[in-house]
Amino acid sequence: MDKHLLFLFFMMLIGIHASASDEIRLVVGTYTGSGSKGIYSYSFNQSTGDAVPLDSLALTNPSYLTPSRDGRFIYVVSENNDNTAALSAIQFDKATGGMTLLNSQLTGGEDPCYVDVNGQLALTANYSGGSMSVFPILANGRLGARTQLFRGHVGGPDKNRQATAHVHCIRFFGKDNVFVTDFSADQILGFKRIGTKLIPLGVIGKADRDSGSRHLEFSHDGRFVYLISELSGNVTVFHCRKGKLTKRQVIASDTVGARGAADIHLSPDGRYLYSSNRLKADGITIFKVNSKDGTLTRTGYQPTGIHPRNFNITPNGRFLLVACRDSNLIQVFAIDSNTGLLTDMHKDIHLGKPVCVKFI
């Protein structure tokens, strides 16, 4: 083969590889009972924003899910308000998008709404149960029986929303730390992992009173932690040092007093932070991140469909997908890499009550 043909062959291989890497897997959790079956998988092209359905799996109220790091398993809560509330392990075929239920374990707390995993443990935040459940992950990806249950606290001033304990989010931070949002006490709790056990460290960060601490996001270097609070609608910026959080800034995400702020994510390059707001003026707030001190500057607001609970950003940073629960669709927005602003691609994924979108 001469040099010219060899060059063309090499460029063709690069093109094939690039095309293949554009196709990633999208998995979606929903609320069932209104036409939705459970969990859905798609092939998503992160260059064009197009989605093609692959598979579905029947499961009750799979409102939040987290894939394992290698993408072979998905761990998903069933957000039930009774003693059937559970965490399930699902085997995932990355080639086909096929899903197979492996097993389920009861959480011991009602309305689990969040799950995080680190390969050894799976943790759930049980909202109405006001607790965090701990499960071992077995060698075959299945879940062992619950080993620990930690209770949240009260103390916030809202007599309706904070009268009982609510735990809303748990995140592994680094190798051995766990951060937990203690919604009804307006604070963040810390835990240390020793083997397969968690040891409570107490309060590591405080939000303003009447905040309703909800979801967490971490800067890529671990220096800063971002908290979205549901009731106040504020984002709190913390500096993180040795597992302790020092408040740096409080800035509004929800400016209309809707008391329904929801999710928070950084762009893959860390330059922009996004947060979702519900109940009034539904949409996504856009912030520019100061790379030196982690502080935020509000730069834009993108209206969305109704009740944008969870959203996510493609690994290449080109698209932001918003699960609009009460519009029964997932909106696909293009991200301007220079400004962080969003443009609706009008490539909606129509689905009953979508509430969680994750990429594999």
Side-chain angles (χ1 to χ4, degrees):
M1 183 180 293
D2 64 34
K3 291 183 178 179
H4 178 68
L5 289 176
L6 185 63
F7 174 78
L8 291 177
F9 179 69
F10 177 70
M11 294 304 294
M12 181 182 71
L13 288 179
I14 291 177
I16 291 173
H17 175 73
S19 176
S21 66
D22 287 340
E23 295 292 334
I24 58 177
R25 297 295 176 249
L26 166 68
V27 288
V28 181
T30 67
Y31 281 125
T32 53
S34 300
S36 171
K37 183 177 181 180
I39 305 173
Y40 295 79
S41 67
Y42 297 81
S43 178
F44 187 83
N45 188 301
Q46 61 174 343
S47 286
T48 66
D50 294 312
V52 177
L54 296 176
D55 194 19
S56 63
L57 178 69
L59 200 66
T60 304
N61 292 334
S63 67
Y64 198 88
L65 52 90
T66 296
S68 61
R69 288 187 178 180
D70 60 9
R72 296 173 55 212
F73 305 101
I74 302 171
Y75 298 92
V76 55
V77 299
S78 284
E79 190 177 332
N80 302 332
N81 186 236
D82 55 29
N83 60 10
T84 65
L87 177 66
S88 297
I90 294 167
Q91 187 168 322
F92 186 72
D93 186 327
K94 289 187 286 186
T96 66
M99 296 177 287
T100 304
L101 178 64
L102 296 177
N103 77 324
S104 302
Q105 297 285 357
L106 298 177
T107 58
E110 298 85 355
D111 291 317
C113 61
Y114 204 100
V115 55
D116 201 13
V117 300
N118 73 342
Q120 294 176 297
L121 296 175
L123 313 177
T124 66
N126 311 314
Y127 181 76
S128 297
S131 60
M132 175 178 69
S133 303
V134 181
F135 303 87
I137 297 177
L138 308 180
N140 56 8
R142 293 173 178 263
L143 293 162
R146 186 182 73 248
T147 56
Q148 292 178 286
L149 186 72
F150 295 97
R151 301 288 180 182
H153 306 85
V154 295
D158 190 317
K159 300 303 181 183
N160 293 319
R161 304 284 295 277
Q162 296 179 308
T164 59
H166 298 301
V167 175
H168 215 303
C169 169
I170 69 275
R171 293 285 306 272
F172 283 100
F173 180 77
K175 182 180 178 182
D176 296 318
N177 293 293
V178 174
F179 291 179
V180 179
T181 58
D182 201 9
F183 179 97
S184 296
D186 301 320
Q187 60 192 13
I188 300 170
L189 305 176
F191 292 81
K192 188 79 172 179
R193 182 184 69 87
I194 299 179
T196 58
K197 296 290 185 181
L198 295 188
I199 307 301
L201 302 176
V203 178
I204 60 170
K206 293 286 291 184
D208 294 341
R209 277 176 58 78
D210 197 29
S211 288
S213 48
R214 183 178 167 99
H215 277 196
L216 295 166
E217 178 66 301
F218 307 135
S219 65
H220 303 320
D221 59 10
R223 290 189 300 146
F224 306 107
V225 175
Y226 300 93
L227 167 71
I228 182 74
S229 292
E230 181 171 343
L231 302 181
S232 66
N234 290 332
V235 176
T236 305
V237 182
F238 296 95
H239 179 255
C240 182
R241 186 173 184 272
K242 296 182 178 180
K244 292 292 186 179
L245 303 179
T246 303
K247 191 184 300 181
R248 280 280 179 86
Q249 181 190 24
V250 178
I251 187 170
S253 171
D254 163 24
T255 60
V256 297
R259 297 178 76 77
D263 203 8
I264 187 167
H265 293 285
L266 280 166
S267 60
D269 61 11
R271 296 173 60 205
Y272 299 99
L273 183 133
Y274 302 85
S275 57
S276 60
N277 308 285
R278 310 163 295 167
L279 307 183
K280 295 179 184 178
D282 292 358
I284 303 291
T285 305
I286 303 155
F287 301 96
K288 185 173 178 57
V289 180
N290 183 317
S291 61
K292 293 183 179 179
D293 63 12
T295 57
L296 305 173
T297 302
R298 184 184 174 110
T299 58
Y301 195 82
Q302 176 63 53
T304 66
I306 304 171
H307 206 94
R309 177 164 154 159
N310 170 253
F311 66 94
N312 222 320
I313 301 170
T314 54
N316 66 0
R318 289 191 179 184
F319 296 102
L320 184 150
L321 275 64
V322 184
C324 300
R325 188 192 71 182
D326 294 348
S327 291
N328 297 308
L329 55 81
I330 298 168
Q331 287 180 293
V332 180
F333 291 95
I335 299 176
D336 187 313
S337 61
N338 294 316
T339 65
L341 299 180
L342 305 176
T343 301
D344 190 350
M345 296 293 291
H346 300 289
K347 295 188 176 186
D348 298 343
I349 303 169
H350 294 275
L351 185 62
K353 302 297 181 186
V355 286
C356 184
V357 289
K358 290 293 183 77
F359 296 106
I360 299 179

